[in-house]
Amino acid sequence: MLIDTYGRIATDLRVSLTDRCNLRCTYCMPEEGLQWLGKPELLSDDEIVRLVRIAVTTLGVKDVRFTGGEPLLRPGLVGIVERCAELEPRPKLSLTTNGIGLARTAAALRGAGLDRVNVSLDTLRPDVFQTLTRRKRHEDVVRGLEAAHAAGLTPVKVNTVLMRGINDDEAPELLAWALEHDYELRFIEQMPLDAQHGWQRSDMVTAQEILESLRTRFTLTPETDEARGHAPAERWLVDGGPARVGVIASVTRPFCRACDRTRLTADGQVRNCLFAREESDLRAALRSGGSDEEIAELWRTAMWGKKAGSGLDDPTFLQPERPMSAIGG
């Protein structure tokens, strides 16, 4: 079990498969990109599967989400998913992706045992997409979403970040589109995880602003806390349901008390919080011949030291040294 001093138990594992990405989103990294990890620094396919196996069979993890960077850039992705789907007990397997390349891989991923996907899409307008991502790939993402739905990777969830003065007027339009295509839309407050460290709270479109915008077109009824459980998104029934929309208010309404996550970076570091400035090295233990139990104990120790909250409201808060592409979302 992965328990911390506040009694929270981590059962949800986020695994970053690579720090590389084929977009250059303005809220994540600079236009020129970043210095990527070298291949020797990355966990191998076998190492990833071993760590997931330890997490699932020894430490009580029930949900595994593959992230990046962009996980579809990982050559061995389908094989990793297939091997993790064979674990007993069988974890729920999901993927967070920018959707580029999903049109050609969705069916294979579903066949390997992937249960569902989260796809990032911040706008319905190709020109705005190019402004935000610095790439002309909007159509590829839309096709990827369609392929995921057709393959049965459902519910297909769409993650959207609104940026002030760029796409902050699109919330109602995005929700109408998601409802039409049977996607579950989730808005995410922009978080201080950009490589440039240029995030400013005053520039962030807040959850309250998002909800006010949505209510100009839709009736929203909040779900109960019981229905939410440990999920980061607060959800509302749209026009009486059954369709829902979610808002992840990581900054203005943090959900740290209910956090059930543990994170593994692409180079084998445990992060006990998305905003942590410390990491615990499992890669060294793997490569020095550590036993499963020794690795599990290192992981338990890393999670035991988890702080009460992210510290975003503390005047002394400092962003993590590593950007989101290296941490894994």
Side-chain angles (χ1 to χ4, degrees):
M1 172 182 304
L2 294 171
I3 190 170
D4 64 34
T5 54
Y6 298 92
R8 296 169 296 193
I9 299 172
T11 58
D12 186 328
L13 169 61
R14 303 298 168 99
V15 182
S16 176
L17 298 180
T18 178
D19 61 328
R20 296 175 182 267
C21 189
N22 41 14
L23 296 180
R24 296 291 181 270
C25 297
T26 57
Y27 53 78
C28 185
M29 67 175 72
E31 185 172 5
E32 65 273 15
L34 300 168
Q35 182 66 47
W36 307 124
L37 293 166
K39 188 173 181 180
E41 298 174 85
L42 295 172
L43 293 177
S44 69
D45 293 2
D46 288 344
E47 289 171 333
I48 290 170
V49 173
R50 184 183 176 194
L51 288 175
V52 173
R53 176 176 56 78
I54 291 170
V56 169
T57 63
T58 304
L59 297 173
V61 164
K62 299 177 181 178
D63 297 272
V64 178
R65 173 86 62 86
F66 298 109
T67 72
E70 175 43 54
L72 292 181
L73 295 178
R74 178 85 186 201
L77 172 61
V78 172
I80 291 170
V81 170
E82 186 172 30
R83 293 167 68 184
C84 290
E86 293 171 349
L87 295 172
E88 292 292 342
R90 201 268 202 203
K92 294 179 182 178
L93 300 174
S94 58
L95 177 82
T96 294
T97 171
N98 63 28
I100 297 173
L102 190 56
R104 65 175 180 271
T105 56
L109 288 167
R110 181 61 176 151
L114 192 70
D115 295 305
R116 65 171 191 83
V117 293
N118 285 42
V119 180
S120 298
L121 181 63
D122 301 324
T123 178
L124 298 178
R125 306 167 189 170
D127 59 325
V128 176
F129 182 90
Q130 184 175 351
T131 297
L132 283 168
T133 68
R134 305 185 179 102
R135 297 292 185 271
K136 294 182 178 181
R137 305 300 297 270
H138 186 268
E139 185 179 348
D140 293 326
V141 180
V142 172
R143 286 203 305 263
L145 280 160
E146 293 169 351
H149 194 277
L153 292 169
T154 55
V156 174
K157 296 184 179 180
V158 177
N159 293 342
T160 296
V161 176
L162 296 181
M163 302 289 288
R164 197 172 299 283
I166 300 176
N167 63 337
D168 55 346
D169 62 334
E170 286 196 65
E173 183 181 2
L174 280 158
L175 181 52
W177 169 82
L179 295 174
E180 178 186 353
H181 290 85
D182 192 31
Y183 305 145
E184 184 174 322
L185 182 61
R186 307 193 315 169
F187 293 96
I188 304 174
E189 288 182 337
Q190 183 197 1
M191 293 179 282
L193 292 169
D194 59 305
Q196 311 93 296
H197 287 203
W199 180 88
Q200 296 289 332
R201 183 182 288 261
S202 58
D203 293 337
M204 180 189 68
V205 180
T206 67
Q208 186 61 39
E209 290 175 290
I210 294 167
L211 291 170
E212 289 173 357
S213 179
L214 292 175
R215 286 184 172 122
T216 63
R217 185 165 171 182
F218 302 96
T219 299
L220 303 182
T221 306
E223 280 194 330
T224 63
D225 290 340
E226 290 76 15
R228 180 183 183 184
H230 292 280
E234 297 177 76
R235 297 197 306 181
W236 284 260
L237 295 174
V238 181
D239 292 340
R244 295 170 173 82
V245 64
V247 178
I248 299 178
S250 303
V251 178
T252 61
R253 294 204 287 264
F255 40 87
C256 301
R257 289 183 181 180
C259 182
D260 65 346
R261 296 182 181 179
T262 183
R263 287 180 162 81
L264 185 65
T265 68
D267 55 350
Q269 311 300 306
V270 170
R271 296 182 63 87
N272 59 27
C273 174
L274 188 59
F275 299 101
R277 292 179 61 82
E278 306 83 24
E279 298 177 337
S280 300
D281 189 0
L282 297 189
R283 185 186 63 190
L286 281 171
R287 296 182 179 178
S288 63
S291 68
D292 284 2
E293 183 49 44
E294 288 171 335
I295 292 169
E297 188 56 32
L298 288 172
W299 208 328
R300 292 187 191 101
T301 300
M303 294 306 297
W304 182 252
K306 186 173 183 172
K307 296 178 179 179
S310 63
L312 283 170
D313 290 326
D314 189 323
T316 64
F317 172 79
L318 295 174
Q319 288 188 216
E321 292 292 338
R322 304 179 82 181
M324 185 180 290
S325 61
I327 294 170

